[in-house]
Amino acid sequence: MAKFGKRTAEARESIDRKALYPLTDAIAIVKKAATAKFDETIEVSMNLGVDPRHADQMVRGVITMPNGTGKDMRVAVFARDAKADEATAAGADVVGAEDLMERIQGGDIPFDRIIATPDMMALVGRLGKVLGPRGLMPNPRVGTVTPDVTQAVKDAKGGSVEFRVEKAGVIHAGIGKASFEASAIEENVRALIEAVLKAKPAGAKGTFVKRIAVTSTMGPGVKVDVSSAMPAA
């Protein structure tokens, strides 16, 4: 069994693990339980009624959090010439072409987001086996393959979050920090939920959002009453 610190253990014991809490209450509990010596990340997990093994049931997208994420995003951009200059001016941490490809092939991948201009995808495509499993492969559907590198870099730096359903039909996303006001965390959670609902695939049948939970890096997970988190009709 995992061993927890005294404060974490007490926080876990104070939560009814079987209960479904209204979203506002769940966030309050998670914030109170985030007692680590660092600013813990607040994370949301959503169990969806899809089987992502089928192409028509894949769920993915990107959402810019209304209150940012509190995370310092490291962004790499594949671009040349004027577009490379644009990316640098927008605040990209690393900009390159073949040199960046070689760096990544060598295992040096300290990036949270990789962006590419369309003309660079023949080069970036060689990195599919490296970037794909890490969820870093640029994709036009989430705005990371684009000629507008300035906006893409600003979005990444400003708090955009990519989400993609995993094999078990679950989406995980970090949406803020424990130091955020509870209202800001709730606004971010609701923004993520709305983005996931908008990304509902045609092949999804039955109940789409089955379960939602909120947690912090070191804290216990708190189950959310799904109806309390759904957008108003």
Side-chain angles (χ1 to χ4, degrees):
M1 293 180 60
K3 293 183 178 180
F4 303 104
K6 181 179 179 182
R7 287 179 296 184
T8 301
E10 289 175 350
R12 288 175 178 272
E13 290 172 3
S14 69
I15 296 170
D16 183 345
R17 309 289 286 187
K18 296 181 180 180
L20 298 176
Y21 293 87
L23 179 59
T24 301
D25 294 348
I27 290 169
I29 292 168
V30 169
K31 271 182 62 68
K32 184 178 180 181
T35 58
K37 294 181 180 180
F38 61 93
D39 195 3
E40 297 182 46
T41 296
I42 302 298
E43 301 174 349
V44 176
S45 63
M46 300 174 65
N47 292 70
L48 306 179
V50 298
D51 183 350
R53 290 176 298 180
H54 301 289
D56 67 345
Q57 295 188 48
M58 173 54 66
V59 181
R60 70 180 304 175
V62 63
I63 172 70
T64 298
M65 290 296 162
N67 301 292
T69 63
K71 181 178 180 179
D72 183 16
M73 294 285 288
R74 285 186 53 81
V75 179
V77 178
F78 278 92
R80 299 186 195 277
D81 305 323
K83 290 298 180 182
D85 294 338
E86 285 182 31
T88 300
D93 296 280
V94 179
V95 181
E98 283 82 4
D99 56 332
L100 180 54
M101 180 186 72
E102 291 173 3
R103 177 176 175 179
I104 291 172
Q105 286 175 328
D108 185 12
I109 319 175
F111 315 121
D112 303 298
R113 187 75 50 84
I114 297 179
I115 296 164
T117 55
D119 61 296
M120 297 297 292
M121 285 309 294
L123 184 68
V124 178
R126 303 179 198 174
L127 299 169
K129 291 183 179 180
V130 179
L131 299 180
R134 292 174 169 82
L136 290 173
M137 191 67 183
N139 188 297
R141 290 180 59 185
V142 295
T144 48
V145 177
T146 174
D148 191 353
V149 292
T150 296
Q151 190 60 52
V153 171
K154 288 182 177 179
D155 286 346
K157 290 287 189 178
S160 70
V161 172
E162 284 188 46
F163 58 86
R164 179 173 180 170
V165 69
E166 299 172 1
K167 289 182 180 179
V170 180
I171 281 176
H172 294 284
I175 55 87
K177 293 290 184 178
S179 60
F180 285 15
E181 294 292 332
S183 59
I185 295 173
E186 181 170 346
E187 190 175 5
N188 280 2
V189 173
R190 291 187 182 278
L192 173 66
I193 291 170
E194 288 198 35
V196 172
L197 290 174
K198 288 179 181 177
K200 180 180 178 179
K205 306 297 181 184
T207 302
F208 183 49
V209 180
K210 292 185 173 183
R211 290 183 291 278
I212 300 174
V214 184
T215 188
S216 64
T217 305
M218 302 297 291
V222 180
K223 296 178 181 177
V224 175
D225 178 353
V226 173
S227 65
S228 73
M230 291 295 102

